[in-house]
Amino acid sequence: MFGDDYQTMPGGETVFTVDPRPVKFGVGAVDELGADARALGIRRAAVFTDATVATLEATSKALLALEQAGVAFEIYRDSLVEPTDASFLTAATFVREGDFDGIVSLGGGSVIDTAKAANLYASHPAPLLAYVNAPIGDGHPVPGPLMPHIACPTTAGTGSESTGVAVFDLVSQKLKTGISSKWLKPSLGVIDPQFTYSLPALVTAATGFDVLTHAIESYTALPYTQRPRPAEPDQRPPYQGANPHSDLGSLEAIRLGGRFLVRAVRNSDDREARNAMMYAATMAGISFGNAGVHIPHAMSYSVAGMIRRYQPEGWPSDHALCPHGISVVVNAPAAFRFTAAGSQQRHLQAARALGAEVGADADPGEALAAAFVNLMRAAGIPNGLAALDYGEEDIPALVDGAFRQQRLLKQSPRPVTESDLAEMYRDAMSYW
Ligand SMILES: [Fe+2]
């Protein structure tokens, strides 16, 4: 029905679902936050943010809008930049004890993810690992709906406002892992590009590359038709694989990223570029929430979790950390060189959508990797894992963490072994 990319196979999936939550997009959207909260029945909101976002002018507008609509609220400012199991539980206690009937989150992916987790553990109390993805956690399904949650992303990045995923550091195991359920999806995303106007260059670059990798990974993910059809509809995974609907948003986000990402990084006054990247993040978020990501994200978990000394400009400087977008993008060119053999045409199309001149006889993996590396250099992204202080001796531990992310690795357009991952980490040490 959908051409060569989606040929059916015996016993293979023939059905995909499209389950996006509503989003409201544009400059001024945040002024309508109070009316949106009331429409969802929120009278007393837990407002999640962090110390940096709390000082933004757009945040003042959001809080004013709540006040003017008669929505009472209490602010929780302690969301961590990279949330942990402990920080999720502290946030859940705040929600449980505050007698709230809804949640508003104003922040990057970490704040929105903290709000999702707090909403989950306050609505359906359980030990932390109960809902965490197996095999790291118990993988119990979330029993049902949570309180209404309006998510206002303040970076053009994670797309967390559209996804049912919350990611955190499981400190005892030095691992990043997550919880995923359709019930975690916020009830509404209010996406106002004004929040991004004051972001520093490297934050814009890291979040922008997160957008680009979401889009390219979704576009090149194993097609939904290549998965066995489940016996029951509720066994269909939330990450379904590439499908004709997710392709639309993915390709548009790749095109916008290729055109506007470097401009948005280099000039904070370039409103056209920053608005376009916010829209790209929205499109990519809807697509990857439905299709899923694969190797670059699977590899990123241990890159971020094992970081020792790296302290990027623009983030809190009291401890080493690797921002999510950077931990993903450093793996991406190496991963695309590997995955291209599984879907040659799509890798070529992604390179072209980024704006690269690619001939018909070009090597698809090289073409996409080269286009990506050019953008990384132009945007000031660290030159591979070596620039994050990793070396050959770290590869076994990095592989160990990545190989545990089977939920994501299954989405790769070609099967991936531990030695393939080791080769990709080696390739990702430096690119120029
Ligand atoms: Fe991401």
Side-chain angles (χ1 to χ4, degrees), residues 313-337:
E313 219 174 290
W315 277 267
S317 58
D318 55 347
H319 62 289
L321 71 91
C322 186
H324 171 69
I326 291 178
S327 70
V328 175
V329 68
V330 289
N331 312 309
F336 296 145
R337 282 184 188 128

Side-chain angles (χ1 to χ4, degrees), residues 125-372:
L128 186 102
L129 283 176
Y131 303 122
V132 172
N133 298 322
I136 295 161
D138 302 332
H140 290 315
V142 172
L146 315 182
M147 283 190 281
H149 172 191
I150 302 180
C152 308
T154 59
T155 58
T158 63
S160 181
E161 71 283 356
S162 307
T163 73
V165 179
V167 177
F168 66 99
D169 286 326
L170 185 59
V171 175
S172 59
Q173 296 195 34
K174 283 196 170 177
L175 257 185
K176 251 188 204 303
T177 182
I179 306 165
S180 46
S181 162
K182 68 173 182 177
W183 297 115
L184 287 190
K185 285 188 183 182
S187 327
L188 171 69
V190 172
I191 303 160
D192 193 323
Q194 291 178 94
F195 279 110
T196 68
Y197 293 168
S198 55
L199 289 178
L202 190 60
V203 177
T204 304
T207 51
F209 273 103
D210 194 27
V211 171
L212 264 184
T213 50
H214 289 157
I216 299 177
E217 288 174 60
S218 294
Y219 190 63
T220 58
L222 191 72
Y224 75 103
T225 48
Q226 300 293 305
R227 205 172 21 79
R229 183 165 182 181
E232 298 296 334
D234 64 358
Q235 292 167 355
R236 189 164 284 128
Y239 281 180
Q240 304 171 94
N243 61 73
H245 184 271
S246 64
D247 288 347
L248 284 175
S250 302
L251 265 186
E252 179 64 0
I254 299 168
R255 197 185 66 75
L256 289 168
R259 185 160 167 220
F260 291 109
L261 174 53
V262 174
R263 270 177 53 182
V265 170
R266 289 189 173 167
N267 179 2
S268 61
D269 292 330
D270 189 338
R271 299 275 163 98
E272 184 190 20
R274 293 213 166 185
N275 293 350
M277 284 312 298
M278 197 63 155
Y279 188 61
T282 307
M283 296 298 284
I286 292 169
S287 292
F288 101 84
N290 165 298
V293 287
H294 56 84
I295 296 179
H297 271 75
M299 291 172 74
S300 78
Y301 285 73
S302 47
V303 171
M306 289 166 51
I307 207 82
R308 289 171 294 232
R309 278 183 286 273
Y310 181 62
Q311 293 198 350
E313 219 174 290
W315 277 267
S317 58
D318 55 347
H319 62 289
L321 71 91
C322 186
H324 171 69
I326 291 178
S327 70
V328 175
V329 68
V330 289
N331 312 309
F336 296 145
R337 282 184 188 128
F338 173 81
T339 51
S343 63
Q344 309 245 12
Q345 273 310 316
R346 287 191 165 233
H347 284 68
L348 273 184
Q349 284 162 351
R352 291 195 181 113
L354 278 180
E357 301 275 339
V358 182
D361 56 351
D363 178 294
E366 277 309 322
L368 181 54
F372 217 78

Side-chain angles (χ1 to χ4, degrees), residues 386-407:
L388 304 181
D389 211 22
Y390 285 111
E392 177 73 27
E393 66 284 4
D394 297 310
I395 289 178
L398 289 167
V399 169
D400 192 49
F403 198 65
R404 291 204 238 175
Q405 304 295 333
Q406 286 298 322
R407 199 176 53 93

